[in-house]
């Protein structure tokens, strides 16, 4: 994290344009730094106040007792340019510019203003994040230099996922998806217009954080591919998977990207080839960016893509086979000795060929899952598993199903997911650390993404 340490782990943060109101752009960072346990010095700057949110407030940057390592510039228009110049001359290391109205709205005059700020900064050894940025948030250190509304909803966010984005909203939407599922996000960063520190350069620094186990990217452009190339090398060395959502696939999307962050969207086929070559999985949409997150955090190392499906519903077995065929996961052909052993355990009316239909026999014998899973685990053709439990309730020992499934996944190290629509059923599996999806299609899709991504690297 050394190359951009001051952006991710500053020891002091000043806020130019600080506000007493935590619901204003200049008030949010003060509130978040306090809320999420930032241990460094907080310096609100506002000439009209002596105290802001319990912190001593200063009239100007020159009045501070030290040169802060990071300054959040929360004033607008040309005032932001003047503030950046003051920061550079004062010895500030990072200026985070939240103001908009630059290259994203005017590709000529706006970009010229950005270049002027960057030239001033570099002359004094300072770096810039933004402009037009929602901010940076490192929940590992409590350095939350952001005005995102999303973080107001959570008391604790820290985990092992890093989300980096050129868009402010898209840097935090995954937090909203993942937090209710009990998955924490350690980093949530928005680089805005990428005038100086780009999303790729920042991602390299974040990838060096040993607590990060999965990186998610939202890109509207790939301005400097050298950084993504270096990022892929760091990720390969660390065995860190990266998933990217690159928007601007269509002409309309490219035009929207230009007006959003001033980004020049890249040729889509070239983007596909570039990401694949560097082992980065390209998600089709936001759901695809986050849906398989839990699987990546398991640390599995799949040996193949042959699938085994098990359910107490014949229909679910059929639909799982359909879903697997659609994404290119072949149904494993189990060995004759496996079939023989399964016939010795299951009733005669159950299906022992893959997919395995336990039928309603599961209602009268809750040990069936626990009895057949070790048998299937010994079959060399079985690489991954989907267990479908569409309906269960009184009479079904769902906690036993969940314990047996979790133990099986732990012992074999093979990917296993569950499809369970009923919240009461899903809850039992989730309590055992098993990844659960509402439908077999979603379960197979996520499993295929994880396995296919592993094959890329």
């Amino acid at each position: 994290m050394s190359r951009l340490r001051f952006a991710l782990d500053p020891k002091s943060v000043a806020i130019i344009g600080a506000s007493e109101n935590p619901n204003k752009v200049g008030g949010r960072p003060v509130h978040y730094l306090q809320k999420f346990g930032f241990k460094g010095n907080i310096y609100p700057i506002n000439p009209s106040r002596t105290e802001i949110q319990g912190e001593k407030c200063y009239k100007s940057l020159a009045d501070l007792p030290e040169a802060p390592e990071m300054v959040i510039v929360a004033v607008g228009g040309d005032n932001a340019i003047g503030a950046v110049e003051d920061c550079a001359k004062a010895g500030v290391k990072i200026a985070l510019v939240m103001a908009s109205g630059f290259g994203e709205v005017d590709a000529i005059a706006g970009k010229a203003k950005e270049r002027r700020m960057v030239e001033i900064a570099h002359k004094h050894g300072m770096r810039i994040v933004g402009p037009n940025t929602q901010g940076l948030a490192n929940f590992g250190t409590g350095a939350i230099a952001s005005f995102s509304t999303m973080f107001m909803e959570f008391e604790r966010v820290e985990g092992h996922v890093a989300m980096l984005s050129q868009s402010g909203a898209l840097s935090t939407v995954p937090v909203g998806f993942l937090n209710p599922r009990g998955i924490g996000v350690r980093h949530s960063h928005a680089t805005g217009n990428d005038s100086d520190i780009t999303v790729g350069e920042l991602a390299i620094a974040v990838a060096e954080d040993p607590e990060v186990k999965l990186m998610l990217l939202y890109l509207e452009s790939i301005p400097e591919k050298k950084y993504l190339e270096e990022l892929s090398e760091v990720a390969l060395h660390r065995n860190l998977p990266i998933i990217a959502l690159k928007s601007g696939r269509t002409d309309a999307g490219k035009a929207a990207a230009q007006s959003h962050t001033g980004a020049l969207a890249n040729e889509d086929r070239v983007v596909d080839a570039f990401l694949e070559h560097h082992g980065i999985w390209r998600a089709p949409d936001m759901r695809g960016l986050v849906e398989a997150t839990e699987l990546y955090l398991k640390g599995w190392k799949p040996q193949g893509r042959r699938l085994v499906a098990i359910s107490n519903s014949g229909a679910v077995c059929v639909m799982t086979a359909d879903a697997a065929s659609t994404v290119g996961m072949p149904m494993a052909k189990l060995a004759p000795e496996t079939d023989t052993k399964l016939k010795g355990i299951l009733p005669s009316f159950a299906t022992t060929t893959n997919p395995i239909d336990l039928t309603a026999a599961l209602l009268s014998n809750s040990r069936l899952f626990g009895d057949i899973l070790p048998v299937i685990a010994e079959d060399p053709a079985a690489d991954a598993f989907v267990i479908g439990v569409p309906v269960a309730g009184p009479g079904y020992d769902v906690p036993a199903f969940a314990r047996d499934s979790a133990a099986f996944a732990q012992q074999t190290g093979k990917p296993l997911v569950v499809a369970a629509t009923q919240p009461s059923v899903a809850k039992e599996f989730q309590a055992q650390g098993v990844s659960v999806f509402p439908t077999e299609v979603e379960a197979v899709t996520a499993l295929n993404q994880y396995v296919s991504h592993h094959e890329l690297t």
Side-chain angles (χ1 to χ4, degrees):
M1 216 186 286
S2 57
R3 65 192 293 162
L4 290 176
R5 196 273 294 171
F6 301 112
L8 298 176
D9 187 20
K11 303 307 178 190
S12 52
V13 178
I15 304 93
I16 297 177
S19 171
E20 176 67 22
N21 186 345
N23 289 322
K24 289 190 174 181
V25 170
R28 285 273 168 83
V30 180
H31 176 70
Y32 286 152
L33 289 166
Q34 296 173 337
K35 176 180 179 178
F36 292 104
F38 179 64
K39 298 292 192 270
N41 295 322
I42 304 172
Y43 298 121
I45 297 175
N46 186 322
S48 64
R49 303 189 67 93
T50 57
E51 183 179 289
I52 284 181
Q53 297 184 45
E55 304 282 350
K56 180 180 178 180
C57 186
Y58 299 83
K59 292 185 180 300
S60 70
L61 195 62
D63 294 323
L64 300 184
E66 63 175 322
E69 292 187 346
M70 173 188 282
V71 172
I72 299 168
V73 179
V75 293
D78 289 342
N79 289 332
I81 299 175
V84 167
E85 186 170 4
D86 291 342
C87 289
K89 291 178 178 178
V92 172
K93 302 300 183 183
I94 295 285
L96 191 151
V97 184
M98 293 178 168
S100 55
F102 291 87
E104 79 281 3
V105 296
D106 190 327
I108 298 176
K111 283 294 183 185
K113 289 181 180 180
E114 290 181 13
R115 285 193 297 272
R116 192 161 93 239
M117 284 195 296
V118 173
E119 287 170 4
I120 293 168
H122 286 188
K123 181 180 177 181
H124 296 274
M126 186 177 78
R127 302 297 304 276
I128 292 176
V129 176
N132 188 34
T133 175
Q134 187 169 272
L136 309 180
N138 181 348
F139 293 97
T141 63
I144 316 301
S146 170
F147 66 89
S148 169
T149 303
M150 182 72 71
F151 306 146
M152 297 294 278
E153 298 182 9
F154 307 120
E155 293 304 315
R156 184 182 181 280
V157 182
E158 184 185 353
H160 298 287
V161 178
M163 177 69 213
L164 292 93
S165 168
Q166 290 165 316
S167 157
L170 270 295
S171 71
T172 56
V173 166
V175 181
F177 269 114
L178 298 176
N179 194 275
R181 288 158 54 180
I183 303 172
V185 175
R186 184 173 175 87
H187 294 266
S188 175
H189 305 310
T191 55
N193 289 5
D194 280 4
S195 68
D196 181 19
I197 297 174
T198 66
V199 68
E201 184 182 3
L202 186 63
I204 295 168
V206 172
E208 293 169 349
D209 182 343
E211 291 299 318
V212 173
K213 297 181 181 178
L214 173 66
M215 178 173 286
L216 310 178
L217 302 175
Y218 172 75
L219 307 171
E220 291 184 352
S221 69
I222 302 178
E224 294 182 281
K225 67 177 184 177
K226 68 177 183 179
Y227 287 128
L228 286 186
E229 290 170 343
E230 185 179 346
L231 171 63
S232 70
E233 292 176 6
V234 173
L236 182 63
H237 177 72
R238 275 207 56 220
N239 194 28
L240 173 68
I242 302 173
I243 306 171
L245 172 55
K246 167 64 174 66
S247 61
R249 288 182 178 271
T250 65
D251 290 341
K254 291 174 183 176
Q258 174 64 37
S259 65
H260 182 207
T261 59
L264 295 174
N266 310 78
E267 178 64 35
D268 207 50
R269 290 179 295 113
V270 176
V271 171
D272 275 341
F274 177 83
L275 295 177
E276 181 176 346
H277 177 73
H278 290 91
I280 299 172
W281 181 264
R282 186 175 186 182
D285 50 31
M286 177 53 65
R287 197 164 190 82
L289 184 68
V290 300
E291 193 66 11
T293 297
E294 292 168 72
L295 279 60
Y296 287 91
L297 299 179
K298 299 290 186 184
W300 290 322
K301 293 179 172 57
Q303 301 302 307
R305 55 174 39 251
R306 294 167 297 183
L307 183 67
V308 174
I310 306 166
S311 180
N312 61 333
S313 163
V316 168
C317 286
V318 173
M319 290 189 290
T320 302
D322 280 343
S325 178
T326 299
V327 299
M329 291 191 78
M331 300 302 293
K333 185 173 177 56
L334 301 178
E337 51 267 34
T338 301
D339 185 66
T340 300
K341 290 179 181 178
L342 290 176
K343 280 183 167 64
I345 298 171
L346 298 173
S348 59
F349 49 84
T351 304
T352 56
T353 55
N354 185 26
I356 299 167
D357 180 9
L358 302 179
T359 72
L362 188 61
L363 179 59
S364 57
N365 183 0
S366 291
R367 290 299 312 160
L368 288 181
F369 267 126
D371 290 342
I372 69 169
L373 285 173
V375 172
I376 301 170
E378 294 175 0
D379 196 301
D383 297 320
F385 301 83
V386 172
I387 293 177
V389 188
V391 179
Y396 288 93
D397 192 350
V398 178
F401 304 161
R403 288 193 301 271
D404 291 340
S405 300
F408 169 80
Q410 179 69 31
Q411 291 162 9
T412 65
K414 294 183 177 182
L416 179 146
V417 296
V418 168
T421 304
Q422 285 178 270
S424 59
V425 175
K427 182 179 178 181
E428 295 292 345
F429 282 95
Q430 290 165 340
Q432 295 296 325
V434 179
S435 297
V436 183
F437 298 86
T439 69
E440 61 284 338
V441 172
E442 291 166 282
V444 170
T445 300
L447 190 56
N448 174 67
Q449 174 182 322
Y450 177 71
V451 172
S452 298
H453 193 177
H454 189 268
E455 291 169 346
L456 282 184
T457 57

